Amino acid sequence: MFSLFEKKQSIVGSGLLQGAVDNHCHILYGLDDGVKTVEESLSILQWLEEHGVKKVWFTPHVMEDVPNTTEGILARFNELKSVYKGGLEFDVAAEYMMDNIYEERLAAKDLLTHGDDTVLVETSTWAPPIDLWGTLDSTMAAGYRPLIAHPERYRYMDYKDYLRLHKMGCLLQLNLPSIVGFYGETAMRKAEYLLEKGWYCLSGSDCHRFKAIKSQYDQIVLKKNVVKALEKIMGEYEQA
């Protein structure tokens, strides 16, 4: 693992946000358990721009309890763009829980993708869907590449699961708060392991609240070689 005897930095203080892309957040207001008002959305975006972030991907939840539609997400995205006056670049996708709604949207090819063919998917923190591996196979058979949101947070996954995801061609997305210990010691150690292996391809804030992201990004916990590893995944994924 990474050495424990190094001078530590925060995400803000490390310079990692200069030119960075936030590939996963819940800043698009009023759609899920994330930001509720346009005012908070605009405040977060201003703060991210002030700290050097270049682009934000909005990725609201789509799941049985939060059945956002493609049309509804795009309408809210356009509303926010119409009132935003800053210099950030924007794009929109969705974070799909691998449940019955996802199966229906996948069959209909009604997915908001992260790029041309990459779909951001998640599971419960505590337990996999009934047929995790079959759902991932079906996603790839339909012409999409699964991008696994915050795999370090899944308590049921261990290192052999991460290896299997990597070998089958799934992409992995790190939640930056994981690496500063926001989700606990286990998630942080898993995140460090996956960083060392080079299996993450991109990162995101998973921001739900302005107060939370400011606190997370100011935590002085990052070691030098963690910062070096993070530098490789702070932009958008570039397919070979």
Side-chain angles (χ1 to χ4, degrees), residues 168-222:
M168 72 186 295
C170 293
L171 304 175
L172 305 183
Q173 173 255 309
L174 168 69
N175 268 14
L176 287 172
S178 295
I179 207 68
V180 301
F182 181 73
Y183 306 107
E185 183 78 12
T186 299
M188 183 171 68
R189 296 304 173 206
K190 285 183 172 183
E192 288 187 350
Y193 172 83
L194 292 169
L195 272 175
E196 280 192 308
K197 299 294 288 186
W199 291 350
Y200 287 121
C201 69
L202 43 74
S203 64
S205 67
D206 204 357
C207 175
H208 285 66
R209 298 286 184 274
F210 192 9
K211 182 178 179 180
I213 191 173
K214 288 194 292 185
S215 173
Q216 292 157 6
Y217 279 23
D218 279 335
Q219 293 294 316
I220 302 176
V221 297
L222 297 181

Side-chain angles (χ1 to χ4, degrees), residues 2-230:
F2 294 106
S3 170
L4 299 176
F5 304 103
E6 297 181 14
K7 183 177 179 181
K8 297 176 181 178
Q9 298 175 302
S10 67
I11 291 172
V12 168
S14 67
L16 286 167
L17 297 181
Q18 297 300 314
V21 177
D22 188 340
N23 288 281
H24 174 184
C25 74
H26 299 273
I27 300 172
L28 192 56
Y29 64 96
L31 291 177
D32 56 17
D33 61 341
V35 172
K36 300 304 181 187
T37 67
V38 65
E39 291 80 12
E40 186 174 8
S41 293
L42 293 172
S43 294
I44 297 171
L45 294 171
Q46 179 182 349
W47 185 84
L48 290 173
E49 184 177 1
E50 288 172 354
H51 285 82
V53 173
K54 177 182 73 173
K55 180 175 179 178
V56 173
W57 276 88
F58 300 111
T59 55
H61 287 293
V62 176
M63 59 178 74
E64 291 176 357
D65 293 340
V66 189
N68 282 311
T69 64
T70 297
E71 294 76 14
I73 293 171
L74 290 175
R76 182 56 49 84
F77 176 61
N78 287 326
E79 288 172 11
L80 182 57
K81 284 201 302 181
S82 72
V83 297
Y84 175 70
K85 305 303 179 185
L88 285 171
E89 299 174 34
F90 290 159
D91 216 327
V92 63
E95 181 185 17
Y96 295 93
M97 180 67 72
M98 287 189 279
D99 58 15
N100 290 331
I101 281 187
Y102 178 66
E103 298 281 359
E104 293 168 4
R105 303 279 177 91
L106 177 63
K109 294 205 167 184
D110 178 20
L111 299 174
L112 277 170
T113 56
H114 194 292
D116 292 338
D117 61 359
T118 301
V119 58
L120 182 68
V121 293
E122 68 168 339
T123 79
S124 161
T125 301
W126 301 99
I130 293 173
D131 186 14
L132 169 63
W133 304 105
T135 301
L136 293 172
D137 283 337
S138 297
T139 299
M140 299 182 84
Y144 298 100
R145 191 167 190 184
L147 171 59
I148 312 298
H150 43 67
E152 71 281 352
R153 293 183 57 196
Y154 301 137
R155 292 179 179 267
Y156 64 88
M157 282 193 178
D158 59 24
Y159 301 116
K160 70 177 185 299
D161 296 313
Y162 300 133
L163 177 61
R164 183 173 179 180
L165 290 170
H166 178 68
K167 284 187 172 180
M168 72 186 295
C170 293
L171 304 175
L172 305 183
Q173 173 255 309
L174 168 69
N175 268 14
L176 287 172
S178 295
I179 207 68
V180 301
F182 181 73
Y183 306 107
E185 183 78 12
T186 299
M188 183 171 68
R189 296 304 173 206
K190 285 183 172 183
E192 288 187 350
Y193 172 83
L194 292 169
L195 272 175
E196 280 192 308
K197 299 294 288 186
W199 291 350
Y200 287 121
C201 69
L202 43 74
S203 64
S205 67
D206 204 357
C207 175
H208 285 66
R209 298 286 184 274
F210 192 9
K211 182 178 179 180
I213 191 173
K214 288 194 292 185
S215 173
Q216 292 157 6
Y217 279 23
D218 279 335
Q219 293 294 316
I220 302 176
V221 297
L222 297 181
K223 297 176 281 289
K224 182 178 179 180
N225 40 1
V226 173
V227 173
K228 292 296 290 183
L230 286 171

